[in-house]
Every structure is written in structure tokens, then in C-alpha cells.
Amino acid sequence: MEDLWEALTSAERIPRWFLPVTGDLRLHGTYQLEGNAGGTITACDAPNSFSATWEYGGGTTWITVRLAPVDAEHTRFELEHVARAADVTDEMWAQMGPSPTGIGWDGALLGLGLHVTTREVRPDNSEEWLQSDEGMAFMRRSADRWAEADVAAGADPATATAAADLVYGMYTGTAPAPAAE
């Protein structure tokens, strides 16, 4: 659990699986992920949990990360990312649904999982990997699963699929590929 905590909270380790980070990574400190979100650390109960604002594109959402030991070798990781309904317009939700955030976190957590299990460092060529057959397949599966989650939450299936396809294309720089059957 301590190693996972360090991977999640150390300015030296975060870039190994996610993005370069700057700031003061302690309670009430601020952070900035290169080319992505920044915010303020609002709560910290090391090594069990932390919360922070997630400020991106002029909006603010909130993240909470929780860790709990399962046994001597395994730790349960939980990420909660919350947005207020007032911060997500109906038009934005209809166009993209949960896919932008979900697909982004799926990619980040893939990097985290690889880092803590193999000690691999996020490659400098992650954009190249994204365009590989493996990267494209990963993103397609992620988009499809987020469409399924959107439908399970009550969205129209055609709308959810179109939203996931749009976001897949945004992440991969391609025209949306048809959803997997």
C-alpha cells in the first residue's frame, strides 16, 4: 500500500506513469499536471486517501482517491471523480457523455498499473503507442465500455454510442471507428 501511495503522491513518481507535475503536493498545496488539470489538495489522510480539486478548461470538478489493504500483497484502489450537474451542460453531456473523463482515467490508470507492477516508466512516445494497434484497441474498448455505462445510467443507446465514438476520435486523432459488436 505504501508503494502505491508513493506512486500516487510523489512528484518524482507521478510522471513515471501519468504526466509531469509541479507544485506543492501537500494538504492545501496546489499542483499542475503538464498540459492537463491543476488544482488544490483539499484533504489528505496518508496513506489512505486524498482529495483535490480538478481544474481544467475553466471548470472545477473534484477527485478523491482511496486506498485500502486487501491482503499483504494487494491494495484496493478507488478513484471518485465528481462534477456538479451545474458544471456540465446538457449539450456537453448529450454530445460526449461520460467518455472524455472515463477514457482519460482509463489511460492514466493503465499507466499506473504498469508502473506499480513492472516499474515501467511512462514512455516518452505515449502518443506513438496511442496510434499503435494495441493503443487503438485499448481506446476502442474503453470508449465502448463508457457507452455501456452511459446506457446503464439511462442514456439512449444510439446517443451514448455516438458520444463514445466522438470522444474515441478526439483521443486517437482519427475519425470515430464503429463501436465493437
Side-chain angles (χ1 to χ4, degrees):
M1 192 158 117
E2 289 78 17
D3 183 59
L4 181 55
W5 179 260
E6 183 182 328
L8 292 165
T9 61
S10 164
E12 294 172 0
R13 298 243 342 244
I14 293 169
R16 296 180 193 173
W17 62 270
F18 193 30
L19 294 167
V21 63
T22 56
D24 184 12
L25 303 183
R26 62 184 170 151
L27 185 59
H28 306 299
T30 60
Y31 71 94
Q32 180 62 55
L33 293 163
E34 186 176 291
N36 204 302
T40 301
I41 299 156
T42 58
C44 182
D45 176 23
N48 304 302
S49 66
F50 69 87
S51 298
T53 60
W54 187 263
E55 300 170 32
Y56 182 76
T60 300
T61 56
W62 297 267
I63 62 168
T64 299
V65 172
R66 295 178 191 89
L67 302 179
V70 173
D71 57 38
E73 308 245 341
H74 300 93
T75 300
R76 178 178 311 282
F77 169 93
E78 179 183 317
L79 168 69
E80 179 180 26
H81 192 155
V82 175
R84 297 179 309 187
D87 295 327
V88 179
T89 66
D90 289 342
E91 180 181 322
M92 181 190 315
W93 189 262
Q95 184 179 17
M96 295 189 269
S99 295
T101 303
I103 293 171
W105 280 118
D106 284 349
L109 296 178
L110 172 63
L112 176 62
L114 288 171
H115 174 66
V116 298
T117 58
T118 67
R119 294 291 183 224
E120 284 188 31
V121 174
R122 178 182 180 270
D124 290 333
N125 67 345
S126 55
E127 289 298 318
E128 189 176 304
W129 177 82
L130 191 57
Q131 298 303 315
S132 72
D133 289 345
E134 181 183 27
M136 297 289 269
F138 174 84
M139 297 304 275
R140 181 72 263 169
R141 284 190 307 272
S142 177
D144 292 344
R145 297 303 80 79
W146 283 104
E148 290 172 9
D150 200 11
V151 170
D156 169 71
T159 301
T161 298
D165 288 348
L166 172 70
V167 176
Y168 168 83
M170 291 168 51
Y171 270 100
T172 60
T174 63
E181 296 288 319

